[in-house]
Amino acid sequence: MVGKFSRGFLTLSLVAGLGGCNSASQGLDLSSNAAPANAQPVQAVVQAYCPQVVMRDQDAVYRSYARGGQDNPDKLLYQASFNDATRQCTANETTMTINLIAQGRVVQGPAGTPGSVTLPVLVEVVDGDNVLYSQKVAFPVKIPVGGTQFIFSKADVQIPNNAGGATRFTRVRLGFDTGPAKKPRRS
């Protein structure tokens, strides 16, 4: 008898509880569209397309040779390469700022010795054939015996911000450059 009473009481409690889920609260007027007096205004979140990072095969590896040993594997001082990259974008009405971070590796060659080297890193933002930003960065890396990994970071890449962000054709190109240093260009 105790078992029947408990099951009946449990069933009745469950039905009453579920019935309460479908009823409106007495203190809340659900028919009104007015916001409560103490409600904070909702701020719009601006979302924009953040350009992808691409590394072209011809720019992703940099080799330095001893004097007179260009392209001779026995005269290789060191080889640097980028492995992976990511980015984060922030934007206001006129400017998109891209924070670029990349992982790379420097390996000592047969003619190399441990020490410091300066890698000529080229960061460009292109939209189709139009170059929106271009800067060569002299990036110092210490090479221990054998080689090391490094993290390259450039937090101040700025391009004009269009409505909705960069176009779907805009790309951040990352690689190595051996030409003369360039000043940042913005259009």
Side-chain angles (χ1 to χ4, degrees), residues 62-140:
Y62 178 76
R63 293 177 184 93
S64 181
Y65 295 90
R67 181 168 283 201
Q70 188 67 28
D71 296 327
N72 180 346
D74 294 330
K75 300 288 184 171
L76 180 67
L77 296 171
Y78 63 90
Q79 175 176 302
S81 61
F82 283 113
N83 303 327
D84 200 10
T86 190
R87 81 286 186 222
Q88 176 186 18
C89 296
T90 56
N92 62 29
E93 295 80 25
T94 60
T95 305
M96 176 177 284
T97 301
I98 304 166
N99 181 6
L100 173 66
I101 299 174
Q103 176 200 16
R105 180 155 180 81
V106 178
V107 179
Q108 182 180 325
T113 58
S116 294
V117 298
T118 302
L119 302 176
V121 178
L122 180 62
V123 178
E124 292 183 310
V125 180
V126 295
D127 187 0
D129 292 332
N130 187 19
V131 177
L132 304 176
Y133 177 95
S134 180
Q135 185 175 20
K136 182 177 172 181
V137 178
F139 185 70

Side-chain angles (χ1 to χ4, degrees), residues 15 37 55 131:
V15 170
M55 293 177 273
V131 177

Side-chain angles (χ1 to χ4, degrees), residues 52 90-91 132 154 162 166 173 179:
Q52 293 181 349
T90 56
L132 304 176
K154 181 120 180 80
N162 302 322
R173 285 196 310 218

Side-chain angles (χ1 to χ4, degrees), residues 2 4-6 9 19 23 28 57 60-61 66 70 87 91 93 101 109 133 146:
V2 173
K4 289 183 182 181
F5 175 75
S6 298
F9 181 72
S23 64
L28 182 61
D57 290 341
V61 176
Q70 188 67 28
R87 81 286 186 222
E93 295 80 25
I101 299 174
Y133 177 95

